[in-house]
Amino acid sequence: INTARSAPALPAGPIAYVDAGHQERFDRLLWEETSVGGLAYSLARNGTVPLLLYELDAAALDGADLLILIAPGEHFSRREVETISRWVEGGGHLLASVGYEEVAASQDLLAHFGLSVDHIPLGPAEVLRDAGPVQFQEAWPVQATSGEAHVVAEAYGYPVAVHQPWGSGSIVLVGDSSFLLGGSLENQYSYREGNILLLRDILQQYLTVGSTR
């Protein structure tokens, strides 16, 4: 058992939690197409400290800058929704990657922020950006009710990623459950530069988390 004296110190930098307590759609193998190894590498590359979060509560979020949800399979309790809401209002940032097929478990949480995922399957979609093309594997349209929301990415005339300010913090919703997985970002066999650069812009420009390295 690690003690305060023997436990290694965490690297310095803003903490980016990847929620692992709600049956999220990813495995723990670091460099597979279905894992979050590529996401962790991108988070570190952008100046944050990526950690898995198994218990979502106010004490844990208090020291974090970013919370990431990847297609949760277990519903968030009312207390968890309220905890996340207060944390975002106070300056925290939420990044959610979820398509319509997996949205049921996070629907109440998204609705609290005025966000939703539409039942219009767009399938694989390419979005052209100056930084390079972005490949969505399982794209679904997303909506935000706030007039302050901004479209981050659009495919076939539908927004597939939106940014919504909320209090002192903000939320980005990506309508693709696989966008933050290794098959969309990077793994031991391949990488998608346009996707990596879009994530960089989401982190730095929209969520104002981390910095260029």
Side-chain angles (χ1 to χ4, degrees):
I1 299 175
N2 284 333
T3 66
R5 177 174 296 178
S6 63
L10 288 174
I15 292 175
Y17 277 130
V18 179
D19 186 36
H22 294 85
Q23 299 181 17
E24 279 76 10
R25 183 184 147 177
F26 63 85
D27 62 46
R28 306 300 191 266
L29 299 173
L30 283 182
W31 285 105
E32 300 301 317
E33 292 190 354
T34 54
S35 73
V36 291
L39 170 62
Y41 196 58
S42 275
L43 291 170
R45 186 188 293 125
N46 284 280
T48 68
V49 180
L51 297 172
L52 293 178
L53 180 64
Y54 291 94
E55 274 193 52
L56 201 162
D57 56 30
L61 291 181
D62 185 54
D65 286 62
L66 177 64
L67 174 64
I68 298 174
L69 309 177
I70 303 175
E74 180 181 305
H75 285 75
F76 293 85
S77 69
R78 181 178 297 179
R79 177 178 295 180
E80 288 175 325
V81 171
E82 292 173 352
T83 296
I84 294 172
S85 177
R86 285 195 296 269
W87 174 72
V88 173
E89 284 184 19
H93 300 282
L94 176 65
L95 171 57
S97 171
V98 57
Y100 184 83
E101 292 175 310
E102 292 89 8
V103 77
S106 49
Q107 210 155 24
D108 290 345
L109 175 63
L110 295 177
H112 179 84
F113 293 111
L115 299 167
S116 62
V117 182
D118 286 349
H119 187 202
I120 304 175
L122 301 177
E126 182 177 82
V127 175
L128 299 179
R129 301 176 71 237
D130 291 341
V134 178
Q135 306 288 336
F136 291 93
Q137 297 187 35
E138 307 168 4
W140 300 83
V142 296
Q143 287 193 22
T145 58
S146 171
E148 297 181 354
H150 300 87
V151 175
V152 176
E154 189 175 272
Y156 307 122
Y158 294 97
V160 292
V162 293
H163 169 252
Q164 176 140 298
W166 192 267
S168 298
S170 62
I171 308 102
V172 168
L173 171 61
V174 180
D176 183 345
S177 294
S178 66
F179 183 73
L180 297 177
L181 302 181
S184 291
L185 292 175
E186 52 190 305
N187 57 71
Q188 59 182 327
Y189 303 112
S190 64
Y191 67 94
R192 296 178 186 266
E193 185 176 8
N195 292 26
I196 293 170
L197 293 177
L198 174 58
L199 177 57
R200 177 203 64 186
D201 292 344
I202 287 173
L203 293 173
Q204 295 187 20
Q205 296 180 21
Y206 292 97
L207 299 177
T208 63
V209 174
S211 60
T212 303
R213 284 191 169 185

